[in-house]
Amino acid sequence: MKAIKADPLQSKWFKTKLLLRSSFIKRYIPDTRRFSKSNLEQMIYSYGMIYVKPERGTYGNGVIRAERGERGGFTYQYEETVRQFDTFEAFHKSLAKKAGRKKYLIQKGIHLLKHNSRRFDIRVMVQVSPKGALEATGIIGRLGHPRKIVTNYHSGGKPMAIETLLQSHLSPHRLAQLTEELNTLGVRMAAHMQKTYPKIHQIGVDVGLDRSLIPWIIEVNMMPDPYIFNQLKNKSMYKKVMRYRRAQLKKTQ
């Protein structure tokens, strides 16, 4: 029986390396490395806060937020459980045990902006239009569950209009500029990936804004959930996303 080959685009590590080939996109990608004891030590001491995430996986499953205390010691949070360690050795041992035989990555932590004391990030939807051109069709905020570290809808996150989430952080004019920047980034990412994988017809780009309002690419999803846009009061984005989705499905039938 012939073994089924794993899709490389399901690997976060593979997608990161692919995107790093673009000098334009590269500046938006936080330092990301394979999980190892030496990488963990270097990154936790360099950045103070990191994310440890499975190389393959969806919906934020398995993501861990780890921090180094100002007075020493280490902590990490997985789902709603927080663990503390006095030494790096104990910290590493616990994380390695949690990872098991699965491949994990370490990513520089981004201190995300907050709304009502809850972290949020932004999802940019890019699709191939019925005419065959790449287009940013939707942009939406994802407000994290108050006790969790991920913002995914499936983990208790709440989809919201970015205008609501960013109104206390940005002027309307700056918000319009940021929206255009993120839409452009999404389209350029999809175009760059299409050079290697021409059949890509949609991506969902998860972007985190740090406290200086600098955007960082957290993840690229090859099968983005279109239904989160239906959570918005204004249904225009949802209708467009679904219209493009149906047109693409017809082409592939």
Side-chain angles (χ1 to χ4, degrees), residues 99-130:
R101 293 185 178 182
K102 287 185 178 179
K103 291 180 179 177
Y104 268 68
L105 303 177
I106 308 170
Q107 192 173 71
K108 175 187 175 182
I110 307 302
H111 290 279
L112 298 175
L113 289 185
K114 293 183 178 181
H115 175 75
N116 292 338
S117 301
R118 292 162 63 178
R119 299 181 190 96
F120 68 88
D121 62 15
I122 295 167
R123 162 67 61 88
V124 179
M125 181 76 130
V126 179
Q127 295 169 283
V128 173
S129 75

Side-chain angles (χ1 to χ4, degrees), residues 92-190:
H92 166 257
K93 187 177 179 180
S94 181
L95 282 174
K97 186 178 179 182
K98 188 164 280 294
R101 293 185 178 182
K102 287 185 178 179
K103 291 180 179 177
Y104 268 68
L105 303 177
I106 308 170
Q107 192 173 71
K108 175 187 175 182
I110 307 302
H111 290 279
L112 298 175
L113 289 185
K114 293 183 178 181
H115 175 75
N116 292 338
S117 301
R118 292 162 63 178
R119 299 181 190 96
F120 68 88
D121 62 15
I122 295 167
R123 162 67 61 88
V124 179
M125 181 76 130
V126 179
Q127 295 169 283
V128 173
S129 75
K131 293 182 179 179
L134 284 167
E135 192 178 324
T137 52
I139 186 166
I140 192 169
R142 305 187 308 170
L143 185 65
H145 185 282
R147 295 189 303 277
K148 294 188 179 180
I149 57 168
V150 294
T151 59
N152 303 67
Y153 179 58
H154 299 270
S155 298
K158 184 180 180 183
M160 293 179 69
I162 62 167
E163 292 81 3
T164 302
L165 295 174
L166 288 166
Q167 63 185 357
S168 63
H169 300 284
L170 293 170
S171 67
H173 175 69
R174 181 69 187 96
L175 176 60
Q177 287 181 324
L178 177 67
T179 303
E180 188 176 344
E181 180 184 357
L182 296 183
N183 285 339
T184 299
L185 174 62
V187 170
R188 289 189 68 162
M189 286 173 68

Side-chain angles (χ1 to χ4, degrees), residues 10-75:
Q10 295 305 314
S11 162
K12 297 179 180 72
W13 181 240
F14 182 86
K15 286 181 284 190
T16 298
K17 291 194 294 181
L18 180 62
L19 292 170
L20 284 171
R21 293 181 198 167
S22 163
S23 56
F24 175 80
I25 298 166
K26 189 177 183 178
R27 61 188 172 188
Y28 293 96
I29 299 176
D31 185 6
T32 305
R33 306 180 206 175
R34 275 248 166 93
F35 182 86
S36 70
K37 187 176 183 179
S38 59
N39 283 340
L40 179 67
E41 189 170 20
Q42 286 174 17
M43 292 179 75
I44 195 71
Y45 277 99
S46 294
Y47 303 124
M49 192 269 281
I50 57 173
Y51 281 87
V52 181
K53 54 177 72 174
E55 186 176 316
R56 293 173 182 269
T58 55
Y59 306 142
N61 293 327
V63 176
I64 299 164
R65 187 179 197 263
E67 294 185 80
R68 181 169 62 90
E70 289 179 12
R71 297 180 182 178
F74 305 86
T75 63

